[in-house]
Amino acid sequence: MSEARVALVTGGSRGIGRATAEKLASQGFSVVVNYLAHAEAAEQVVAGIQAAGGQAMAVQADVRSSSSVKAMIDRAEQEWGPVSILVNNAGIARDGLLARMPEEAWRQVIETHLTGAFLCSRAVLRGMLRMRWGRIVNISSVAGLAGNVGQANYAAAKAGLIGLTRTLAREVASRGITVNAVAPGFVDTDMTASLPEAWRAQALSAIPAGQFGSPHDVAAAVAFFVSDEAAYITGQVLSVDGGLGMR
């Protein structure tokens, strides 16, 4: 494993982000838990990691803002050194049929998922290039692979992340940096917990495994991609979906 041990998880206060932050901390990484609005939840993640003997800090930043992202990276570097692992997980949903979708709902989702990943990736690359080692993992979605009714903005953003993943992987592969994506299916998070029971039942019927995944299932895939065992894997998309997206 590289000596570079600083990981940044965007949207790290809940769900997949929280599970990923906890997983990376358990493997010895110093983890920056990024959040936008849920300060208390982020501090709870940090407290749990510290109680388990790990090292973490919560940093508020809006990933849609280049200045906010820069301030976050600067703080991480001042505290621990260059960020060597970036997990672009921050995301929101503003669902609705495209014909009635407000422009703001489109912009918010695209800017959070896709522009946020661009800004954060660009901000950490300088340090990774100097180290000649780095791992970037983008959290995409099965919606980005197959589309989903009522989620034109979300699916477009998640599909864009796959294009970003593969392009950046080509650009930095010769410098010891890998860039991969994880595409979760239906995962038990705050977002899916609020769905109507009839919708959840319909979703379950489409999953060959017969159950929703957990955030820890996704975190395990991220942990693999950032490991030395995955050093020769880049530009790939790993679906963690219970077989939902099988062709």
Side-chain angles (χ1 to χ4, degrees):
M1 174 71 69
S2 167
E3 291 304 312
R5 307 291 295 181
V6 182
L8 166 60
V9 180
T10 68
S13 66
R14 300 184 297 170
I16 290 170
R18 176 174 187 158
T20 299
E22 292 171 343
K23 180 71 171 179
L24 296 180
S26 74
Q27 295 183 331
F29 294 99
S30 299
V31 181
V32 179
V33 179
N34 160 254
Y35 69 96
L36 177 60
H38 299 95
E40 183 176 351
E43 292 295 349
Q44 288 175 355
V45 177
V46 169
I49 288 172
Q50 292 174 339
Q55 188 164 253
M57 65 175 173
V59 180
Q60 193 276 342
D62 184 346
V63 298
R64 299 168 299 179
S65 162
S66 58
S67 60
S68 187
V69 168
K70 182 181 184 302
M72 173 173 61
I73 302 303
D74 286 347
R75 182 174 172 192
E77 291 182 345
Q78 290 165 7
E79 189 78 20
W80 292 323
V83 173
S84 53
I85 292 172
L86 169 64
V87 182
N88 284 310
N89 169 73
I92 60 172
R94 298 288 186 269
D95 295 350
L97 295 175
L98 189 143
R100 296 195 295 269
M101 181 176 289
E103 186 175 340
E104 185 60 20
W106 173 270
R107 290 186 183 277
Q108 288 177 345
V109 172
I110 295 294
E111 289 175 2
T112 301
H113 291 265
L114 192 53
T115 303
F118 157 68
L119 291 173
C120 290
S121 298
R122 187 179 64 175
V124 301
L125 271 176
R126 181 174 298 179
M128 291 181 178
L129 289 167
R130 282 199 301 264
M131 291 184 291
R132 299 189 68 86
W133 196 95
R135 302 283 188 266
I136 297 175
V137 182
N138 296 318
I139 304 302
S140 181
S141 168
V142 293
L145 295 169
N148 196 29
V149 173
Q151 289 193 312
N153 48 5
Y154 186 85
K158 292 302 193 180
L161 278 175
I162 292 173
L164 174 65
T165 296
R166 290 176 169 156
T167 298
L168 184 55
R170 290 180 182 274
E171 292 181 358
V172 298
S174 65
R175 303 298 293 272
I177 303 168
T178 67
V179 188
N180 292 288
V182 177
F186 295 111
V187 176
D188 274 320
T189 62
D190 291 347
M191 191 181 297
T192 55
S194 64
L195 294 171
E197 194 55 41
W199 192 97
R200 286 176 62 88
Q202 182 180 1
L204 278 172
S205 69
I207 303 171
Q211 62 186 28
F212 280 19
S214 80
H216 300 288
D217 295 322
V218 182
V222 174
F224 169 67
F225 273 140
V226 307
S227 70
D228 279 350
E229 285 75 12
Y232 197 57
I233 301 172
T234 195
Q236 302 304 305
V237 182
L238 175 59
S239 294
V240 181
D241 62 3
L244 176 65
M246 283 193 292
R247 299 294 192 273

